[in-house]
Amino acid sequence: MAPAQAHGVPVTPDNNIVPAAVRSGIAVEINGEHFVHTGDPQMPLLWYLRDVLWLTGTKYGGAHGENGSDLVLVGDKPVSAITQPMVKLDGKRITTVEGLAANDGALHPLQQAFIDEDAIGCGYCTPGWLIAGVDLLKRKPQPTDADIDQLTNTCRCGCQTRVRAAIKRAAAGKAGQA
Ligand code: FES
């Protein structure tokens, strides 16, 4: 049912004013595509990605994103998608793990390095490591072990050592090489 009007402002059937963010929509760019969210402005980005857009690569990483599995890039900065309500993201450019590969499907060098180093166990944590790793390599093209160990991502399958090797392989430009 179309909302009624109260003094020119749309209202819901139970007479609450429809929030401005819903009336006008929240425009976001995700992996190069433009979307307008017209649902609950407080919906966390993680649920918008997974439940609305079916971009299920980004995983739930705890109520505060503590294990890093829900990292995405907002602009150039890695952030926990569960902590970001859509209303804060109007006009933002967001990159998820699905957006790391090139348009022709070629993997990002860090994705390839994860394969080369067999750094993927069950895979649950992998999207978060990739986002954190891409950010790290941008900030520190030749990261040390200490730099990598400062990432707050965790892996319950015990892949940290191989993740470290993968990040270093990508840094060395050896992704895809024997
Ligand atoms: S690969 Fe399983 S949690 Fe990291």
Side-chain angles (χ1 to χ4, degrees):
M1 182 167 67
Q5 299 277 321
H7 307 295
V9 177
V11 296
T12 62
D14 50 359
N15 236 19
N16 291 314
I17 291 175
V18 178
V22 173
R23 294 201 302 271
S24 59
I26 296 164
V28 287
E29 181 187 323
I30 298 177
N31 301 336
E33 290 193 65
H34 296 273
F35 301 93
V36 177
H37 172 58
T38 55
D40 181 355
Q42 297 301 325
M43 174 184 260
L45 172 60
L46 180 64
W47 303 143
Y48 183 67
L49 294 172
R50 293 183 56 85
D51 295 347
V52 179
L53 301 185
W54 292 94
L55 291 172
T56 55
T58 310
K59 303 291 190 280
Y60 179 71
H64 306 286
E66 47 274 27
N67 82 9
S69 300
D70 68 336
L71 286 178
V72 297
L73 296 173
V74 175
D76 292 329
K77 196 168 169 244
V79 299
S80 152
I82 195 73
T83 66
Q84 300 295 305
M86 291 302 293
V87 71
K88 277 180 62 181
L89 298 170
D90 194 33
K92 302 287 191 199
R93 178 174 48 86
I94 295 156
T95 305
T96 71
V97 68
E98 290 91 346
L100 293 182
N103 288 339
D104 66 0
L107 293 180
H108 187 285
L110 186 57
Q111 291 175 303
Q112 183 59 54
F114 266 62
I115 295 170
D116 298 340
E117 294 291 345
D118 198 15
I120 306 166
C122 73
Y124 193 93
C125 68
T126 310
W129 281 114
L130 289 169
I131 294 290
V134 165
D135 171 64
L136 176 63
L137 289 169
K138 194 174 284 181
R139 291 184 288 110
K140 297 201 171 185
Q142 298 300 324
T144 64
D145 287 351
D147 293 329
I148 297 169
D149 291 347
Q150 279 182 1
L151 299 178
T152 56
N153 302 60
T154 56
C155 174
R156 291 191 177 197
C157 296
C159 295
Q160 284 92 340
T161 304
R162 283 176 282 163
V163 165
R164 188 197 278 172
I167 293 173
K168 293 185 115 175
R169 174 184 280 267
K174 293 191 173 164
Q177 296 177 20

